[in-house]
Amino acid sequence: MKVYKFGGASVKDARGVRNLLDIVSGETELFIIVSAMGKTTNALEAVFSAMQRGDEAAALASIDASYAYHRTIIDELMGADRTIEDVDKLFEQLRNIVRNTIYRSSEAELWYDTIVAYGEIISTTIISNYLNGHGVKNRWVDMRRAFLTEQRHKDANVNLEATEIRLKREIAGSDVSVFVGQGFIGGAPDGTTTTLGREGSDYSAAIVANVLGAESMSVWKDVDGILNADPKIFPDARKIERLNYMDTIEMAYSGAQIIHPKTIKPLQQKNIPLYVRPFGDKHASGSVITGDVERAYEPIMIQKSNQVLLKLHSRDLSFVLEEKFAKVFNTFDSHRIKTNIVHNSAVDLYMSVDSSWHIDDAILELEAEGFDVEKSEDVEMVTIRYYNEELYHRYAFDERIIIKQVTPHSLRFVRHK
Ligand code: ASP
Ligand code: MG
């Protein structure tokens, strides 16, 4: 079995879907994981926010806009006189959720997951249907049933042992050997829908590869492969041909938009190679990530925006005590806030964390625990892995830098934007 993953940008229009058909035509023993089309997840997040505000009309209007977008793709693929009934039904289900839910803020994550999961359910319904009509016979797999996740919404981890049994059951006895399943979603023990974190479809594909013992996983993207920097930010970015799992995890964790950070572990466990391949050219080599590549000493530069810098000052001057640290990390963990950089002195603790809905709640809790907290939102984090002297001098003395950390392999800092 091979696993192919197609992200939202690859299937954002009819042309993309036709290109997907071209890539998978003739393949057998293939599991295809697809994300929501284009920016659908963002659109569904807007549906959820409207529901959160109690604005049913705005929520329904966003659903209609999303329907129109998908309708255009279907029309272009199949002709305006044909429809995919299942897609119409899915949109109706979504409208009914908005109309019938009595929203409580304590269930925010549950309703978020229930709504945004439709992006992938709809995209795979369209793609499975289209492939079936164009010579690629396949079975649509409902990943809400195939993936058992933890009972945690919006950023769930997948239980590999249980999923192996479930997924194999879902594909057993099939008369076809091509499967189409949703990235990003799963099901909790209580039967509700979960999501695996934004951009989590890569992780989904890696789980499928792991539990089915796939020979390889390929992510088809709108880039030539993995670059050593984001060309929009750092000009003269170059493609990296081969990379090891460890450097990939570090890059992803530092904010490189190449692959979801959770993707590597399930692949590494079974030593499955990961190919990052250009969607527009199925014969190009792309980049390959495996366990046995020598470290890449080419500098890798990553910038992560969406950071919030918090400065915690302990009012009783007692940061020296370990339990204070434990308290802070537990508070962040309970609000699911992800920490990227930590820097401490005797009485102060600086942390750069991913921006999240819950930061202000966490701050209130910390203030009640005896901390003064300052928050700055106009910051970004930069990581230069395998920096050299020239890069060090070019970047490390920037006046905008607030925190800087240097290890033999990496230079990392948080700076004002
Ligand atoms: N559709 C989801 C998102 O946009 C998952 C993914 O694309 O991987 O975050
Ligand atoms: Mg995506």
Side-chain angles (χ1 to χ4, degrees):
M1 187 73 84
K2 282 193 284 191
V3 178
Y4 282 180
K5 180 256 169 172
F6 294 90
S10 307
V11 291
K12 68 177 193 297
D13 51 23
R15 192 161 157 252
V17 178
R18 285 196 203 100
N19 190 38
L20 182 154
L21 168 69
D22 179 48
I23 289 173
V24 306
S25 283
E27 298 271 3
T28 55
E29 301 285 319
L30 181 67
F31 205 112
I32 305 171
I33 287 287
V34 189
S35 302
M37 292 175 156
K39 303 255 176 267
T40 300
T41 306
N42 294 356
L44 293 173
E45 283 186 341
V47 172
F48 168 73
S49 315
M51 175 176 175
Q52 217 174 9
R53 296 192 307 269
D55 190 344
E56 187 178 310
L60 292 172
S62 298
I63 295 175
D64 289 345
S66 187
Y67 178 75
Y69 162 70
H70 287 88
R71 197 58 246 189
T72 308
I73 295 176
I74 294 171
D75 288 353
E76 270 186 48
L77 289 172
M78 336 218 322
D81 50 335
R82 304 255 313 269
T83 142
I84 302 176
E85 266 176 40
D86 289 342
V87 172
D88 292 351
K89 279 189 204 142
L90 289 167
F91 274 99
E92 203 40 42
Q93 280 174 19
L94 195 51
R95 289 189 191 94
N96 284 334
I97 291 170
V98 166
R99 289 186 194 115
N100 301 336
T101 299
I102 298 165
Y103 176 78
R104 281 190 219 96
S105 61
S106 60
E107 294 174 336
E109 278 83 7
L110 165 69
W111 291 113
Y112 173 93
D113 281 358
T114 307
I115 289 171
V116 299
Y118 274 85
E120 272 70 10
I121 297 170
I122 291 162
S123 69
T124 50
T125 301
I126 296 172
I127 285 164
S128 170
N129 192 293
Y130 180 71
L131 294 180
N132 268 324
H134 289 80
V136 182
K137 295 288 175 218
N138 69 88
R139 181 191 278 194
W140 184 84
V141 181
D142 188 340
M143 304 305 269
R144 291 170 296 185
R145 289 159 46 109
F147 274 14
L148 181 70
T149 71
E150 57 188 328
Q151 187 65 49
R152 171 187 177 111
H153 289 283
K154 207 162 179 270
D155 186 18
N157 285 306
V158 178
N159 174 329
L160 279 178
E161 290 75 37
T163 296
E164 176 165 353
I165 298 166
R166 288 185 176 211
L167 183 63
K168 285 182 172 164
R169 195 166 56 206
E170 289 292 323
I171 68 175
S174 172
D175 50 353
V176 297
S177 69
V178 177
F179 301 92
V180 176
Q182 309 79 45
F184 181 54
I185 70 173
D190 71 354
T192 54
T193 303
T194 47
T195 63
L196 314 181
R198 285 300 309 261
E199 303 305 326
S201 297
D202 297 328
Y203 174 51
S204 299
I207 301 281
V208 171
N210 176 301
V211 302
L212 298 182
E215 69 191 64
S216 67
M217 164 175 158
S218 299
V219 172
W220 296 88
K221 279 180 87 82
D222 54 352
V223 290
D224 292 338
I226 294 179
L227 305 181
N228 71 330
D230 180 343
K232 278 183 236 129
I233 302 163
F234 303 102
D236 53 74
R238 280 187 302 278
K239 191 180 97 175
I240 305 174
E241 302 287 333
R242 300 179 69 84
L243 206 65
N244 62 29
Y245 291 132
M246 201 54 87
D247 283 330
T248 310
I249 288 195
E250 289 285 355
M251 283 177 78
Y253 183 78
S254 304
Q257 306 271 326
I258 36 166
I259 206 88
H260 192 281
K262 291 201 271 190
T263 312
I264 299 299
K265 189 173 157 205
L267 298 176
Q268 185 198 20
Q269 267 179 9
K270 298 231 171 139
N271 218 359
I272 300 169
L274 168 60
Y275 295 89
V276 176
R277 302 175 65 178
F279 185 60
D281 182 1
K282 65 176 173 178
H283 302 295
S285 62
S287 301
V288 58
I289 299 156
T290 55
D292 51 14
V293 179
E294 288 287 304
R295 271 207 189 127
Y297 278 102
E298 178 100 6
I300 296 170
M301 322 239 288
I302 302 146
Q303 178 174 308
K304 191 171 192 180
S305 310
N306 278 334
Q307 293 298 290
V308 176
L309 183 71
L310 300 173
K311 181 181 170 196
L312 279 64
H313 175 80
S314 165
R315 274 181 226 127
D316 65 359
L317 308 184
S318 67
F319 246 127
V320 271
L321 300 176
E322 277 69 25
E323 65 256 35
K324 287 273 181 181
F325 284 111
K327 175 69 212 159
V328 171
F329 283 104
N330 286 335
T331 304
F332 285 130
D333 184 51
S334 70
H335 291 283
R336 300 204 231 137
I337 296 169
K338 293 205 166 97
T339 308
N340 295 301
I341 284 198
V342 179
H343 186 88
N344 69 303
S345 74
V347 292
D348 290 330
L349 181 65
Y350 290 84
M351 308 178 82
S352 186
V353 303
D354 284 356
S355 176
S356 117
W357 299 341
H358 301 294
I359 287 184
D360 291 334
D361 294 336
I363 290 176
L364 284 178
E365 255 175 59
L366 290 168
E367 284 173 343
E369 288 288 327
F371 295 101
D372 290 327
V373 184
E374 277 171 43
K375 171 173 98 167
S376 4
E377 287 176 303
D378 65 328
V379 296
E380 62 197 5
M381 180 175 87
V382 175
T383 304
I384 307 181
R385 196 161 164 78
Y386 306 131
Y387 62 90
N388 54 30
E389 227 180 284
E390 191 228 312
L391 289 171
Y392 190 86
H393 283 100
R394 190 176 337 151
Y395 289 99
F397 301 102
D398 189 334
E399 283 170 357
R400 295 173 298 164
I401 292 179
I402 311 159
I403 301 173
K404 175 162 74 187
Q405 290 181 344
V406 187
T407 66
H409 287 317
S410 69
L411 161 65
R412 187 169 247 222
F413 50 84
V414 178
R415 67 180 177 196
H416 288 293
K417 281 188 187 156

